[in-house]
Amino acid sequence: MATAENKRPLILYSCYSKKSSEGEQFNPNHNFGYIFSGRTEIYVDGKTKVFKEGDFRFIRKNQLSKYVKHPAPDGEYKSISISIDKETLSSVSKEYNIDAEGKYQGDSALLLKPNPLFNNYIDSLTPYIGKAITIGKDLTTLKVKEAIMILLATNPLLKDVLFDFSEPGKIDLEGYMNKYYKFNVDLSRFAYLTGRSLATFKRDFEKIFHDSPNHWLQQKRLSDAHYLITEKGWKSSDVYLEVGFKDLSHFSFAFKKAYGISPSKLT
């Protein structure tokens, strides 16, 4: 269900069994989804939202998020996500003369009120789930357009977020970095989300923190890790993802260099 222009499929079915799946992600597109079984905890924009079996959800684009997907007891976690891309939204905007009328003020992750239109839409996708049937680009685009029109019909206020094509504006860098430093994303992503070019981001960062972004991020994450291990009793194998390291070996090397002892020897 992917298009050649997208690294992630626009329509994605997920299935996990017997263990929870966790991680973090950034999606440049809005996301409309449904949970068939299990539940998801999503941390986004400073809030934790829980979506369970039978829930429909909407997640706004350009958000850093952390998630944990829990399978149902003695069962599986199953969900489907429709990624609403800018190209399709622009097409709908031109075709139906739809524009944002104001600035969206709602939450970044919404639990949508059940509606028969949602159920019928998800039912129309189930023949393709787990089957050796593929959806081509044209049909995928039509299904994404259908999702957009259903969201507008059931939640008119989403027009102001769906059809806001502006790039992230320049925001308070110090506040943003102190809030999101645990997310392991490239500096270019932090720059984009704070409304800056990479060069301007680095320059502004050093003026505010009197340190380079990479060094500040590593020290901040290591300090958090040290606290969690020594004061909260966390294991090093659990800490590294929590504080923003990509892998355990890199975390262990950096921790020992900073504190002179392997993190595993502190537990």
Side-chain angles (χ1 to χ4, degrees):
M1 297 183 188
T3 62
E5 293 78 10
N6 291 276
K7 293 182 179 180
R8 283 176 57 87
L10 291 184
I11 302 176
L12 179 66
Y13 173 69
S14 299
C15 180
Y16 302 93
S17 62
K18 298 184 179 179
K19 65 177 182 179
S20 299
S21 172
E22 61 182 296
E24 60 184 49
Q25 64 183 16
F26 169 81
N27 196 333
N29 299 330
H30 303 296
N31 186 277
F32 168 55
Y34 174 73
I35 298 180
F36 294 99
S37 62
R39 63 185 174 90
T40 304
E41 297 170 14
I42 299 178
Y43 177 80
V44 59
D45 199 23
K47 301 176 182 179
T48 298
K49 296 291 184 73
V50 179
F51 300 100
K52 61 184 185 305
E53 180 177 334
D55 284 348
F56 296 93
R57 67 190 182 205
F58 176 82
I59 301 175
R60 186 161 59 99
K61 69 176 182 179
N62 291 338
Q63 302 297 308
L64 293 173
S65 64
K66 293 191 176 186
Y67 64 85
V68 182
K69 300 177 180 180
H70 300 281
D74 300 319
E76 298 175 316
Y77 172 87
K78 295 181 181 180
S79 70
I80 192 164
S81 299
I82 295 83
S83 187
I84 303 175
D85 60 303
K86 182 178 180 180
E87 181 182 355
T88 306
L89 282 165
S90 296
S91 174
V92 170
S93 176
K94 293 176 182 178
E95 184 175 357
Y96 297 99
N97 194 29
I98 303 174
D99 296 297
E101 296 178 357
K103 198 69 176 176
Y104 177 74
Q105 301 296 330
D107 286 343
S108 295
L110 297 175
L111 172 64
L112 301 172
K113 186 177 180 180
N115 189 286
L117 289 176
F118 291 153
N119 295 97
N120 291 338
Y121 177 75
I122 296 300
D123 286 344
S124 74
L125 295 175
T126 53
Y128 306 97
I129 295 174
K131 307 293 194 304
I133 304 173
T134 59
I135 299 181
K137 178 182 178 182
D138 291 342
L139 183 54
T140 297
T141 299
L142 283 175
K143 298 308 292 184
V144 174
K145 282 186 175 181
E146 184 181 354
I148 294 169
M149 302 310 293
I150 290 173
L151 286 170
L152 289 175
T154 56
N155 296 266
L157 293 178
L158 288 180
K159 178 172 71 171
D160 288 339
V161 64
L162 287 169
F163 296 97
D164 179 0
F165 299 118
S166 61
E167 298 294 332
K170 195 171 185 178
I171 61 174
D172 172 32
L173 181 59
E174 183 176 9
Y176 188 89
M177 294 306 299
N178 276 312
K179 185 177 182 180
Y180 291 105
Y181 67 90
K182 290 183 181 180
F183 285 86
N184 197 320
V185 297
D186 293 337
L187 294 185
S188 58
R189 183 71 70 199
F190 280 130
Y192 173 76
L193 292 172
T194 57
R196 293 164 169 83
S197 67
L198 181 57
T200 301
F201 171 81
K202 290 179 177 179
R203 183 174 66 248
D204 289 352
F205 191 100
E206 292 185 7
K207 285 181 180 178
I208 294 169
F209 294 101
H210 308 291
D211 199 355
S212 69
N214 284 323
H215 185 263
W216 183 88
L217 284 167
Q218 178 159 295
Q219 295 308 306
K220 189 82 169 172
R221 292 164 179 168
L222 287 173
S223 177
D224 278 5
H226 188 272
Y227 170 78
L228 290 173
I229 293 172
T230 58
E231 301 297 328
K232 297 296 183 178
W234 283 46
K235 295 180 180 179
S236 57
S237 56
D238 297 326
V239 164
Y240 78 97
L241 286 175
E242 171 67 21
V243 300
F245 282 86
K246 286 185 178 180
D247 59 72
L248 180 58
S249 61
H250 178 217
F251 164 67
S252 298
F253 176 82
F255 191 97
K256 186 174 182 180
K257 185 176 181 180
Y259 294 102
I261 186 174
S262 171
S264 61
K265 293 183 179 180
L266 289 178
T267 56

